[in-house]
Amino acid sequence: MITAKEVKFSYEKELVLKGVDIEVVKGEVATLLGPNGSGKTTLLKCLCALLKPLTGCVYVNGRDVSKMKRGELAKLMGHVPQDHKPPFPYTVIDVVVMGRAPYIGAFSIPSRKDYALAEKALEIVGIGHLKERVYTQISGGEMQLVLIARALAQQPQVLLLDEPTAHLDFKNKILVLKTVRSLAKREGLAVVMSLHDPNLASMFSDKVYLISNGVIIDRGEPSKVITRDNLERVYGISVEVIDQNGMKFVVPVLDDLT
Amino acid sequence: MGALKSKILVLALLPIPAFFFSLLIGRYEIPPVTVFQIFISKIFNPMMHSPWPQAYEIVVWEIRLPRILLALLVGAALSVSGTSLQGLFRNPLVSPYILGLSWGASFGVALSLLVPVPFSAQVMAFLFGLLAVFLAYSIAKVRGETPVVSLVLAGVIVSAFFTALQYIAKFFLEPHELQGLVYWMMGGLYLANWEDVSVTFAPIIIGIILLSLMSWRLNVLSMGDYEAKMLGLNTEVNKIVIISLATVIAAVSVSVVGTIGWVGLIVPHLIRMAIGPDHRKLIPLSATVGATFLLIADDLARSLTSYELPVGILTTLSGVPFFVYLLKKTKGRSWG
């Protein structure tokens, strides 16, 4: 569904991505895990053609994203931004219906059908009741769900999320990631997201890409990738990995804490 | 919902009573009934022999009416321009003059007074207004993109540049020419005639219609470049089209009536506070309310004192306290 081949990228001289390959298929949740500055966000930006790789290509459904028009790509790929500052207090439904933009002409407005699809997207993520609320007055978790609904309204096949849990409390982190996971399964989306927390990656992904310094260190099922060796190598702190019903949980070792 | 709908209806129809009210106002006293008789007979039966003095007809038809129509057009143009640019730039301090339009235009006028140019002062104002905005856009463009912050900064730079040029020009102007320039810069409708109306009518109306048609797209663009791209828009093309339309309608207005300030800043805010942020309603209502606002301000400018006051000063003086009141009342909520 979405494939990156040998993607290299640099902002200045130094390579931020040093030849990255990923492949995520329909119904699969892939997580990019790695420390700050490892290249997760840059990779996501290359995946959605916001940045053009120095070498290498990104394909969605076998089509090179750098050769597609924005409008075409937006029909295949939904994107949930991280640092999102809404300037105007639009209603929730008005924000979600913006997901229909790739299907609506420059001089047109959304039709009843577009609104129906936007409402359906809200129902799917479970916040149909927020429809008429003012977007800037809902909670951070609800906002994230609204943005996911907006991406769904694009009727994409691929969903990208840039640290979807960044500013959320414990409960909302779980709620948002549960929603993302069930979307991948029910709607058959290929999901690529970046996360900071190895435990959340372990709980909600089918596949983890462990990134450090622009290189993918390890890839595969969370239980195989989230290991003591891998994490100590990437994060440079000592950790212990606990097995809980086959799911791996990471606890930092705090030997200097008195 | 009902309350909102009736609010929208009132705002949409506001120019109609304002129009008829303004026809009655003026230093030259004419009985209201006669004013309407002249108005109606001129429209439906222009050949009719008029039982009223010739002077009445001239005052109503040649002085008041074109001035009223020009006020409506310019008020609508400046407001729609301001609303569009505020939405596009996601910034509440944006006015049609943000990209250097007013300073470019006033330099154009100064230049036309200083050296023999093949164009009238109006055309010079229009051309230099557009030139200033074009320069600002070119300065802001880096690697095919024009981030909003760069645009605003480029506008400041270009304004400063044309301000300096204009001071040089002022230095060489004769006192009476200088006075003319100062009056032009304060902005006023006292010279309005039918020619002004006919020159401004088509570009302003077409510009407003096109911007109204793009109003939903403006909603998407107001989410910011990055998100608008992810939602499938070619943001650069959209930006150029909207900036061009907003600039042309404002430049046409400025070239005819001078730099009337605050209309394009206040009216967009007022409407946003009254009916919310959706540009599908904001743009058309900016047109009707902006038209009414400038018309009423001009009514005051020509009737308040025995002298003609520059309407730009009135729009500012009346706008500021109202704006402060609304800002306090809504606690700035119309900006999220």
Side-chain angles (χ1 to χ4, degrees):
Chain A
M1 191 66 77
I2 180 161
T3 324
K5 286 205 173 116
E6 270 300 300
V7 170
K8 290 186 184 165
F9 185 85
S10 70
Y11 289 102
E12 300 288 332
K13 268 184 188 157
E14 206 185 334
L15 282 180
V16 182
L17 297 174
K18 301 166 182 165
V20 172
D21 292 276
I22 71 166
E23 185 175 5
V24 184
V25 299
K26 202 169 148 67
E28 196 175 38
V29 178
T31 298
L32 311 176
L33 182 68
N36 289 330
S38 58
K40 300 190 300 284
T41 301
T42 307
L43 178 56
L44 278 175
K45 283 184 176 168
C46 287
L47 293 182
C48 62
L50 206 63
L51 296 175
K52 193 170 163 24
L54 276 183
T55 61
C57 280
V58 175
Y59 301 95
V60 174
N61 274 352
R63 297 175 66 190
D64 185 342
V65 294
S66 67
K67 296 198 173 95
M68 290 170 80
K69 286 191 175 146
R70 277 272 150 229
E72 285 178 85
L73 184 58
K75 291 177 187 172
L76 290 177
M77 186 188 277
H79 182 278
V80 178
Q82 184 200 154
D83 39 5
H84 164 87
K85 286 192 211 82
F88 297 110
Y90 294 116
T91 58
V92 165
I93 186 75
D94 275 336
V95 171
V96 176
V97 86
M98 288 182 195
R100 301 299 300 157
Y103 302 91
I104 296 170
F107 293 122
S108 300
I109 58 170
S111 64
R112 273 174 193 284
K113 190 183 145 234
D114 293 313
Y115 273 99
L117 283 166
E119 282 181 30
K120 198 178 143 221
L122 278 173
E123 295 296 339
I124 289 173
V125 298
I127 49 166
H129 58 285
L130 294 178
K131 196 172 88 169
E132 298 295 339
R133 291 279 298 280
V134 174
Y135 176 69
T136 45
Q137 292 166 10
I138 59 178
S139 76
E142 290 167 338
M143 255 188 206
Q144 201 67 33
L145 291 174
V146 170
L147 293 179
I148 293 172
R150 187 181 73 183
L152 280 186
Q154 291 172 239
Q155 299 182 310
Q157 301 178 17
V158 177
L159 185 62
L160 304 183
L161 304 100
D162 190 6
E163 286 174 30
T165 58
H167 307 292
L168 303 185
D169 65 25
F170 184 59
K171 175 193 149 196
N172 279 311
K173 278 183 188 175
I174 304 298
L175 175 68
V176 165
L177 292 179
K178 259 172 83 178
T179 309
V180 169
R181 188 169 172 81
S182 77
L183 282 178
K185 303 303 164 197
R186 276 188 299 157
E187 311 287 318
L189 292 168
V191 174
V192 185
M193 62 181 169
S194 59
L195 288 179
H196 270 305
D197 184 342
N199 292 328
L200 292 174
S202 176
M203 281 186 273
F204 293 102
S205 347
D206 298 308
K207 194 191 262 175
V208 173
Y209 290 93
L210 189 63
I211 306 185
S212 175
N213 278 324
V215 178
I216 291 180
I217 304 285
D218 199 3
R219 68 186 70 208
E221 280 175 38
S223 59
K224 303 237 167 68
V225 174
I226 297 175
T227 62
R228 188 173 152 181
D229 278 357
N230 270 343
L231 293 180
E232 290 192 341
R233 181 173 162 208
V234 166
Y235 288 98
I237 57 165
S238 35
V239 297
E240 244 176 89
V241 173
I242 302 163
D243 196 304
Q244 175 87 24
N245 303 331
M247 220 177 249
K248 306 284 184 186
F249 289 93
V250 183
V251 184
V253 177
L254 304 171
D255 41 25
D256 55 348
L257 199 74
T258 47
Chain B
M1 261 345 243
L4 183 65
K5 276 196 179 134
S6 52
K7 214 189 263 179
I8 289 171
L9 194 68
V10 169
L11 294 177
L13 298 178
L14 221 46
I16 297 170
F19 173 86
F20 288 109
F21 170 74
S22 305
L23 263 186
L24 304 178
I25 290 184
R27 204 152 307 127
Y28 198 94
E29 269 183 45
I30 307 173
V33 180
T34 315
V35 170
F36 288 125
Q37 281 172 337
I38 294 171
F39 181 68
I40 288 163
S41 80
K42 270 287 194 182
I43 288 174
F44 296 105
N45 194 2
M47 292 301 140
M48 192 184 86
H49 172 73
S50 41
W52 43 76
Q54 186 74 33
Y56 281 16
E57 206 169 294
I58 290 172
V59 167
V60 172
W61 197 258
E62 299 296 332
I63 297 174
R64 286 185 196 170
L65 190 57
R67 183 165 181 164
I68 289 167
L69 292 176
L70 194 63
L72 290 169
L73 281 169
V74 168
L78 292 176
S79 308
V80 168
S81 179
T83 302
S84 309
L85 294 176
Q86 285 181 5
L88 186 67
F89 289 10
R90 305 148 55 89
N91 190 315
L93 296 176
V94 164
S95 79
Y97 304 147
I98 190 82
L99 295 176
L101 174 71
S102 53
W103 290 105
S106 52
F107 174 67
V109 172
L111 199 63
S112 74
L113 295 170
L114 194 66
V115 293
V117 286
F119 305 113
S120 67
Q122 282 189 2
V123 175
M124 287 292 279
F126 179 74
L127 291 178
F128 275 82
L130 290 191
L131 176 70
V133 175
F134 175 77
L135 281 178
Y137 187 84
S138 313
I139 291 171
K141 190 155 188 153
V142 186
R143 275 180 270 143
E145 308 229 337
T146 45
V148 164
V149 180
S150 311
L151 267 173
V152 174
L153 280 176
V156 172
I157 295 168
V158 168
S159 296
F161 175 67
F162 279 109
T163 310
L165 287 186
Q166 194 218 35
Y167 276 119
I168 297 174
K170 271 180 178 166
F171 192 74
F172 291 105
L173 283 179
E174 300 291 331
H176 71 276
E177 290 168 338
L178 203 55
Q179 200 178 19
L181 181 63
V182 169
Y183 273 119
W184 183 85
M185 287 182 66
M186 284 194 277
L189 289 138
Y190 38 86
L191 294 174
N193 55 42
W194 279 108
E195 199 199 322
D196 292 338
V197 175
S198 67
V199 167
T200 51
F201 185 81
I204 287 179
I205 296 295
I206 291 169
I208 289 175
I209 289 173
L210 289 176
L211 284 168
S212 302
L213 286 172
M214 292 184 78
S215 57
W216 186 71
R217 188 147 274 215
L218 206 48
N219 282 357
V220 181
L221 289 164
S222 76
M223 301 306 274
D225 274 14
Y226 173 66
E227 284 184 49
K229 267 185 201 166
M230 291 299 118
L231 293 167
L233 299 196
N234 184 332
T235 48
E236 277 314 304
V237 170
N238 280 290
K239 226 184 262 177
I240 290 178
V241 171
I242 288 171
I243 290 176
S244 304
L245 290 171
T247 301
V248 166
I249 59 176
V252 166
S253 306
V254 166
S255 72
V256 174
V257 303
T259 51
I260 295 177
W262 277 78
V263 179
L265 187 62
I266 297 176
V267 174
H269 277 274
L270 292 184
I271 323 237
R272 207 174 280 121
M273 287 170 191
I275 59 127
D278 188 344
H279 290 87
R280 282 172 291 183
K281 300 180 196 112
L282 273 182
I283 300 271
L285 292 180
S286 294
T288 59
V289 175
T292 311
F293 179 71
L294 188 58
L295 181 56
I296 299 294
D298 189 53
D299 287 345
L300 294 173
R302 64 192 167 95
S303 61
L304 215 51
T305 64
S306 54
Y307 294 99
E308 167 92 36
L309 292 167
V311 69
I313 293 173
L314 278 180
T315 54
T316 308
L317 284 181
S318 62
V320 170
F322 195 37
F323 191 50
V324 170
Y325 163 75
L326 278 168
L327 203 62
K328 294 279 178 201
K329 196 180 152 210
T330 63
K331 302 182 185 74
R333 264 200 307 264
S334 68
W335 280 90

